[in-house]
Amino acid sequence: MHVKRFEDAKSYEAPNHWGVVGLRLQGFEEGGPTNQWVGLSQFLPGGGAGPDSSPVEKIYVILSGEMTVIVDGKETVLRQYDSCTIPAHEVRKIENRSNHVCAMLVVIPFPKETK
């Protein structure tokens, strides 16, 4: 078992994101997971990301607040405990349009070259 305490989580900057603090909860450390990493993204009101895509799929889980996910012009609002999968290469934009911080768990497989 690999335990990582919240106070030991390191922040990271994700490209093409704004108004967000990202914390790496699991992944990229000795003894950690070998097939995915887990981050906690805390988006301020007006924060967001994109439009962009990635070569691997992503899973978003809303822990608190809400997030608007925009794919092909269609907007979907995710609220507490809602989740979605963003397939590899799907262009998406996300926006926190509320006045509350949105806490979102992000699960991403490692790219093949970093395994």
Side-chain angles (χ1 to χ4, degrees), residues 89-106:
H89 307 291
E90 182 171 81
V91 177
R92 58 86 182 110
K93 184 174 184 181
I94 59 175
E95 298 177 346
N96 180 0
R97 296 177 177 170
S98 78
N99 287 333
H100 299 278
V101 172
C102 175
M104 183 168 74
L105 196 68
V106 182

Side-chain angles (χ1 to χ4, degrees), residues 52-60 69 71-72 84-92 107 109:
D52 62 8
S53 65
S54 70
V56 295
E57 71 181 9
K58 298 178 181 185
I59 298 172
Y60 297 153
V69 181
V71 175
D72 293 331
C84 72
T85 300
I86 305 294
H89 307 291
E90 182 171 81
V91 177
R92 58 86 182 110
V107 181

Side-chain angles (χ1 to χ4, degrees), residues 6-68:
F6 186 72
E7 59 266 16
D8 296 329
K10 302 290 185 214
S11 64
Y12 66 93
E13 289 195 33
N16 203 19
H17 285 58
W18 64 92
V20 62
V21 173
L23 294 174
R24 186 163 288 119
L25 301 181
Q26 286 282 333
F28 299 101
E29 71 263 342
E30 186 71 31
T34 59
N35 60 347
Q36 78 271 323
W37 66 276
V38 179
L40 174 65
S41 296
Q42 299 169 90
F43 288 89
L44 294 173
D52 62 8
S53 65
S54 70
V56 295
E57 71 181 9
K58 298 178 181 185
I59 298 172
Y60 297 153
V61 181
I62 306 304
L63 302 178
S64 65
E66 63 181 48
M67 183 62 69
T68 301

Side-chain angles (χ1 to χ4, degrees), residues 66-83:
E66 63 181 48
M67 183 62 69
T68 301
V69 181
I70 306 150
V71 175
D72 293 331
K74 181 181 178 196
E75 298 185 3
T76 302
V77 177
L78 301 177
R79 294 182 177 85
Q80 188 174 35
Y81 307 128
D82 290 343
S83 61

